[in-house]
Amino acid sequence: MPPEALGQNGPPVGAAPLGEEEAEDLIRGICFKTGPPRTVGVELEWLIHDREHPEAAVSHDRLRAAADAVRATSLDAALTFEPGGQLELSSQPAGSLMECVTTTAADLASVRGTVDRLGLALAGLGVDPWQHPRRVLREPRYDAMEAALDRSGPAGRAMMCTSASVQVCLDAGEEEPGPLGYARRWQLGHLLGAVLVAAFANSPFRQGRRTGWKSSRQALWADLDPARSLAPRTGPPPRDAWAGHVLDTPVMCVRGDGPWDVPDGLTFRDWIRGGGPRPPSRADLDYHQTTLFPPLRPRGHLELRMIDAQSGTDGWLVPLAVTTALFDDPEAAETVYRAVKPLAETAGRAAAPRNPLWTAAARDGLSDPELAAVAALCFATALEALPRMGADDHVIGTVAAFHDRYVARGRCPADDLPDPEQLPHGKGLVR
């Protein structure tokens, strides 16, 4: 919703109160917009480090100057900044994988050149290896988010200010059952997601020390909040499961002209039933859904949120290409669905990311034999599918090189990172 449609700090002035049945219908109607998969997008988050001394904190003034300089750059993607100063590029929906790769690569080249001239660099790591959480953005949304997440411990601030990811966005899928059906893709995402966590784990450090996790970022997300980072419960049809999850998750904030405070534990359903300071509107429901952070989020399309940021100029395109191939090529989707289906037994009944499968993926990466075997099959399947999807030699070669360096050897990017304290000026972690 554009800002001009809002009151000063909340829903449209005079907006009608929202009923419970109406809210459920709205959620069901917009969460999965079905049709043949056609478009793909990617959201890339980057830590910003000093180019020569990446272990040193970048001052607020330098971050502000970098933000101003990048905003003045002509980009196809949408540009935003996260609470700790991380830069995020969100591509426009592209009609093909190669269109998405080409436009995003051009945007990144422009952004990298801009920050390089300021003595800064984009760092592709899931968690900042050195810095303590330090919030740069002071906005009501982030004030409210920090207060809400602080109730569950320090993971929220660390997630907000020191983490970065690659998020792949794909169409929800077809209404009908089959390899491209939305219900199948929804189930696939919650199993394949753990494999993607393990294969692309790239955050073994926090505050200069090893954490014991290959993906410390995923460990932070799992520890974030009692409900906000969880997937919906399994069993009900996807639309019903998501609608129930949205309404039964606590509200992060109630927007208004004063502090965006909310009673602790107030769910959106409770709010509709009269538990909040004012009746909620549809704008409040839309906003509430942006404060839910499950590993797979339905926003009409599917947003896969579980992949650590990747190092190097082209590291980001590997998870984009592999994930798109495994979801959108019908033959690959059928093959990988059969491969990941047995992982449901390891996952058990607990919701992702707080089940044994996702925990093993974040802690062990591809040193877990079960995940390593499935990842090897997934990469082989993706490499077969990418030519059918029109991927060029560079994309295929980059995916193949990642497979040979990591997946074929039961390794992930975290396994190649040296300890921060062993590096002069920390340069070996930013590549």
Side-chain angles (χ1 to χ4, degrees):
M1 176 172 293
E4 62 270 16
L6 301 176
Q8 183 176 355
N9 278 305
V13 176
L18 189 66
E20 190 169 342
E21 185 175 345
E22 180 188 3
E24 291 177 345
D25 289 344
L26 284 169
I27 298 166
R28 290 193 189 97
I30 63 176
C31 58
F32 296 97
K33 295 180 179 178
T34 54
R38 292 192 177 94
T39 58
V40 57
V42 67
E43 299 176 14
L44 303 177
E45 296 172 345
W46 302 91
L47 305 170
I48 299 180
H49 284 169
D50 184 278
R51 189 179 60 226
E52 298 301 322
H53 298 276
E55 79 287 357
V58 180
S59 71
H60 288 197
D61 288 344
R62 291 186 74 194
L63 287 172
R64 191 175 300 111
D68 291 343
V70 175
R71 288 192 182 103
T73 305
S74 178
L75 301 172
D76 184 72
L79 171 72
T80 54
F81 287 86
E82 295 297 301
Q86 309 97 308
L87 182 150
E88 179 176 346
L89 286 177
S90 301
S91 77
Q92 302 298 325
S96 69
L97 170 63
M98 283 310 304
E99 180 186 337
C100 185
V101 168
T102 301
T103 56
T104 303
D107 283 343
L108 274 174
S110 180
V111 171
R112 282 197 174 99
T114 299
V115 300
D116 181 72
R117 289 190 288 275
L118 298 173
L120 300 171
L122 303 183
L125 296 162
V127 172
D128 193 298
W130 296 284
Q131 302 305 317
H132 291 257
R134 178 187 59 143
R135 187 152 63 94
V136 175
L137 297 185
R138 297 289 168 183
E139 299 175 1
R141 172 183 172 89
Y142 297 124
D143 293 343
M145 182 183 294
E146 185 176 273
L149 297 180
D150 276 352
R151 298 186 183 116
S152 302
R157 291 193 184 206
M159 175 277 294
M160 291 172 64
C161 300
T162 65
S163 71
S165 68
V166 174
Q167 298 179 20
V168 180
C169 300
L170 301 169
D171 286 332
E174 299 172 342
E175 189 71 31
E176 297 76 16
L180 300 184
Y182 83 94
R184 169 80 70 86
R185 287 158 73 86
W186 179 245
Q187 183 182 5
L188 173 64
H190 288 100
L191 295 174
L192 179 61
V195 181
L196 298 175
V197 169
F200 296 109
N202 192 33
S203 52
F205 310 115
R206 283 191 64 211
Q207 298 171 19
R209 298 178 182 175
R210 286 194 179 272
T211 64
W213 299 82
K214 299 293 178 70
S215 176
S216 300
R217 175 186 171 275
Q218 186 56 52
L220 288 172
W221 281 94
D223 197 34
L224 194 64
D225 175 287
R228 197 167 307 281
S229 63
L230 288 181
R233 63 191 178 92
T234 58
R239 289 189 175 98
D240 293 342
W242 182 247
H245 182 69
V246 170
L247 294 184
D248 293 328
T249 298
V251 174
M252 179 177 285
C253 58
V254 174
R255 296 173 296 163
D257 294 332
W260 291 11
D261 294 336
V262 63
D264 190 13
L266 177 79
T267 68
F268 202 91
R269 196 183 302 276
D270 295 333
W271 189 7
I272 291 175
R273 293 176 178 179
R278 59 170 175 78
S281 69
R282 173 166 183 178
D284 291 311
L285 177 63
D286 293 341
Y287 191 88
H288 173 60
Q289 291 187 78
T290 71
T291 71
L292 307 185
F293 310 124
L296 183 65
R297 185 162 66 178
R299 304 185 65 183
H301 60 275
L302 298 179
E303 183 182 77
L304 287 87
R305 304 170 49 83
M306 70 288 294
I307 302 168
D308 279 1
Q310 298 295 294
S311 303
T313 302
D314 295 327
W316 59 274
L317 71 77
V318 180
L320 170 63
V322 169
T323 305
T324 304
L326 296 180
F327 270 82
D328 285 2
D329 179 84
E331 184 178 336
E334 184 62 36
T335 299
V336 75
Y337 178 74
R338 292 197 300 267
V340 303
K341 199 171 182 182
L343 295 178
E345 184 175 344
T346 302
R349 297 186 61 83
R354 293 196 196 127
N355 62 43
L357 176 67
W358 282 70
T359 299
R363 183 188 60 228
D364 303 328
L366 293 187
S367 64
D368 179 282
E370 184 179 32
L371 287 164
V374 175
L377 186 146
C378 288
F379 267 74
T381 302
L383 284 166
E384 292 176 359
L386 285 169
R388 296 194 294 266
M389 302 185 71
D392 66 11
D393 290 343
H394 176 69
V395 170
I396 295 170
T398 303
V399 173
F402 187 98
H403 168 267
D404 294 346
R405 180 173 182 176
Y406 297 117
V407 180
R409 301 165 60 202
R411 294 172 61 80
C412 61
D415 294 316
D416 273 4
L417 296 177
D419 288 341
E421 62 268 19
Q422 296 175 350
L423 298 169
H425 306 306
K427 289 185 180 179
L429 286 177
V430 182
R431 61 186 196 276

